[in-house]
Amino acid sequence: MSDFSDYKGTWVFLEVKDGEIVPVSLELLGAGRQLADKRTTQLAGVLVGHNVTPLAKKAFEYGADVVYVYDAPIYRHYRTETYMRAILACVEKHKPEILLYGATSTGKDLASAVATDLPTGLTADTTQLDVEADTGLLLASRPAFGGNIMATILCKKYRPQMATVRAKVMKPLAREPGRAGTVIEESIPLEEADIRTKVLEIVRATTHRVRIDEADIIVAGGKGLGGPAGFQLIHRLAETIGAAVGASRDVVEAGWVEHHHQVGQTGVTVTPKIYFAIGISGAIQHIVGMQNSGLIIAINKDPNAAIFQCCHYGIVGDALAIVPLLIEAFKTA
Ligand code: FAD
């Protein structure tokens, strides 16, 4: 059995976007705080970027005790190589027992690169975190076998134990203004000439529509809409009430909308205040992505559809007839 007695503490990679720590990293500080308290260890954040040091203050207010900072122009834009080298150096020097990342495109890319290089294990797309009472091992759980079971994955032979965690499944702590911690500034020798990738230009997607992962209201449609023309009703209702558009996987696979609208196990996990599920059967793989919504309203012509088991209000009927009535009612409301 390997000796891991040097490895201590729970860490969170603090992803930065547009000069702010992204919400999932704050959620992970909340989850990490609980893990660290159970194991009576410190909670640390790792910040990598350019001009990011002031963000450590926010991490302390959301639960971190320590923040390791790699702040240099070479980290201005995310690149796998530069960020990976910073994280590898930090892990080697300070030896965390647990290291968590948000399951964002950056988090997934970075975590898998770090896991491969160390090497250690990585549980991807985790939705529950805990520690085993007698061993203190991380218990990272995620849906498996098409969402029919929850698999709890342990990493016994390597350190750190790593997981990427879905956005919006953990809760951030209430902000504690003025809560202080220790900033540890780190650096590694890294020259632009050593790095094989260059960021030439960043082109932002332009959309006037509400983003699904940030929306308070989501109108989601399924195969019951019958086709792309029927699905336009979902766009119209969403536009009328200022909601984001969601979709089932079958709709995405049919090409009626792009993948970033997909809600569920292989899509986005959402927790809006109101979720309309229209012409969606309620397969478990869809439910796991929206079941924590504040209010779920389902429309389905089949009274036995599974979606009616998890909604707060259900309308049995033809969506193609009901949705136009809703649009008119909301317009005149
Ligand atoms: P259907 O199952 O075809 O249901 C259509 C519903 O519309 C039915 O309930 C029907 O009664 C109703 N209906 C029909 N006509 C009308 C009408 N005129 N008015 C009102 N209601 C009507 N699915 C996801 O959504 N997200 C995922 O992330 C996801 N990941 C998956 C991962 C794996 C590994 C697997 C195996 C599957 C995954 N799926 C996912 C697919 C999932 O199992 C279902 O196949 C899918 O959710 C079904 O989509 P649907 O409800 O739109 O279509």
Side-chain angles (χ1 to χ4, degrees):
M1 189 71 187
S2 313
D3 176 15
F4 296 128
S5 53
D6 286 353
Y7 287 82
K8 294 194 169 58
T10 300
W11 287 16
V12 173
F13 168 66
L14 300 170
E15 184 177 335
V16 176
K17 197 170 174 191
D18 299 329
E20 282 291 337
I21 298 175
V22 300
V24 65
S25 296
L26 300 179
E27 292 160 22
L28 286 184
L29 285 175
R33 183 74 264 165
Q34 288 179 10
L35 298 178
D37 289 348
K38 280 188 184 175
R39 300 163 67 258
T40 56
T41 59
Q42 279 194 327
L43 176 65
V46 189
L47 266 175
V48 185
H50 185 218
N51 295 333
V52 290
T53 308
L55 296 175
K57 182 173 173 282
K58 188 164 186 182
F60 299 138
E61 292 180 345
Y62 279 90
D65 303 309
V66 175
V67 174
Y68 300 103
V69 185
Y70 289 79
D71 195 335
I74 202 160
Y75 304 119
R76 183 188 311 275
H77 300 300
Y78 173 73
R79 284 179 287 176
T80 315
E81 275 178 291
T82 53
Y83 277 54
M84 179 182 81
R85 290 204 202 180
I87 298 287
L88 288 172
C90 204
V91 164
E92 199 171 308
K93 187 168 173 189
H94 298 286
K95 297 189 171 30
E97 210 177 358
I98 294 172
L99 176 47
L100 307 172
Y101 311 72
T104 59
S105 45
T106 297
K108 288 179 189 175
D109 181 64
L110 180 61
S112 51
V114 170
T116 310
D117 213 276
L118 275 170
T120 187
L122 172 66
T123 306
D125 248 355
T126 306
T127 56
Q128 283 172 23
L129 293 168
D130 205 346
V131 286
E132 198 171 57
D134 47 345
T135 61
L137 280 168
L138 177 69
L139 303 172
S141 304
R142 49 156 297 151
F145 293 108
N148 290 313
I149 62 159
M150 287 296 283
T152 299
I153 297 164
L154 287 80
C155 175
K156 294 186 176 174
K157 293 191 180 163
Y158 302 97
R159 291 293 180 275
Q161 304 163 81
M162 302 212 306
T164 60
V165 182
R166 279 195 172 205
K168 301 219 173 186
V169 294
M170 312 281 163
K171 292 224 176 323
L173 299 174
R175 185 173 190 168
E176 210 179 305
R179 185 179 178 277
T182 309
V183 174
I184 300 179
E185 291 181 24
E186 296 284 358
S187 67
I188 48 171
L190 205 51
E191 297 295 329
E192 198 54 59
D194 302 335
I195 308 302
R196 289 169 296 175
T197 49
K198 310 263 174 264
V199 177
L200 301 180
E201 191 187 359
I202 298 198
V203 181
R204 290 180 189 275
T206 50
T207 173
H208 301 301
R209 298 227 161 102
V210 185
R211 279 180 52 140
I212 189 168
D213 53 347
E214 294 170 356
D216 279 343
I217 309 175
I218 294 174
V219 179
K223 279 307 269 295
L225 275 309
F231 199 83
Q232 283 307 314
L233 285 173
I234 298 297
H235 287 293
R236 280 179 48 208
L237 177 56
E239 216 163 286
T240 307
I241 58 176
V245 170
S248 69
R249 183 164 103 167
D250 288 22
V251 158
V252 171
E253 284 184 346
W256 301 356
V257 281
E258 297 97 336
H259 179 260
H260 63 261
H261 291 281
Q262 184 180 316
V263 173
Q265 185 190 322
T266 43
V268 187
T269 301
V270 295
T271 51
K273 290 183 182 147
I274 306 175
Y275 188 89
F276 287 89
I278 302 177
I280 291 178
S281 56
I284 182 69
Q285 297 89 355
H286 188 85
I287 300 292
V288 293
M290 45 64 82
Q291 62 193 349
N292 294 326
S293 304
L295 184 75
I296 300 170
I297 301 165
I299 304 175
N300 197 301
K301 70 176 187 187
D302 175 5
N304 298 314
I307 194 73
F308 289 130
Q309 303 298 317
C310 87
C311 70
H312 301 94
Y313 294 101
I315 304 171
V316 179
D318 182 357
L320 301 175
I322 295 166
V323 176
L325 297 177
L326 284 177
I327 294 169
E328 282 316 306
F330 282 122
K331 272 186 182 162
T332 51

